[in-house]
Amino acid sequence: MYWGKRDEKTKNVKKSRRILLAMAIGFAVAMVAMAIAIYFGYAGAYDRGGSGRDVYLFGIAIYRLSLSKGRYIGRSIGPNMGMVCAIFMVLAVALEEIVHKFRKR
């Protein structure tokens, strides 16, 4: 009886670690994707000009650029960035679960 509970606890700990690792990877990928989008947003703003523009990632505005004294100043749109991170994290966890399920077979 004791050994069965211990094996179950070990399984739960391993699953928790897998999920946390997948969430961390999803967060990191989201940060990289947003950094790339912001970089191209700045590049596009300087190429096309204008008084301001928003940077979008998958149709969600994550960053706002405004022209001030010939330079673009950026402001993050925090709630939208959080939503993008959450989406990436959920996708990473779902992908991890699918891969784990197929590996187990």
Side-chain angles (χ1 to χ4, degrees):
M1 184 91 168
Y2 174 75
W3 294 106
K5 286 184 180 180
R6 185 172 182 169
D7 289 339
E8 187 175 317
K9 185 176 180 183
T10 303
K11 277 185 177 180
N12 289 339
V13 168
K14 286 182 181 181
K15 184 173 182 169
S16 296
R17 285 183 185 166
R18 278 195 335 263
I19 291 172
L20 285 174
L21 180 62
M23 289 176 71
I25 290 170
F27 182 79
V29 170
M31 290 292 118
V32 170
M34 286 189 286
I36 291 170
I38 291 168
Y39 170 80
F40 283 114
Y42 270 106
Y46 280 111
D47 284 345
R48 293 183 195 97
S51 62
R53 65 185 292 149
D54 288 341
V55 176
Y56 293 91
L57 186 63
F58 303 122
I60 302 170
I62 59 167
Y63 206 71
R64 183 160 291 138
L65 298 171
S66 56
L67 190 62
S68 175
K69 298 180 184 177
R71 295 185 65 185
Y72 282 96
I73 306 296
R75 284 185 319 155
S76 65
I77 303 172
N80 292 358
M81 284 184 146
M83 186 171 33
V84 169
C85 284
I87 290 168
F88 271 87
M89 291 165 70
V90 166
L91 290 175
V93 170
L95 183 64
E96 185 279 326
E97 288 295 323
I98 291 168
V99 168
H100 179 71
K101 202 152 206 121
F102 280 115
R103 276 189 178 177
K104 222 175 174 182
R105 286 183 177 188

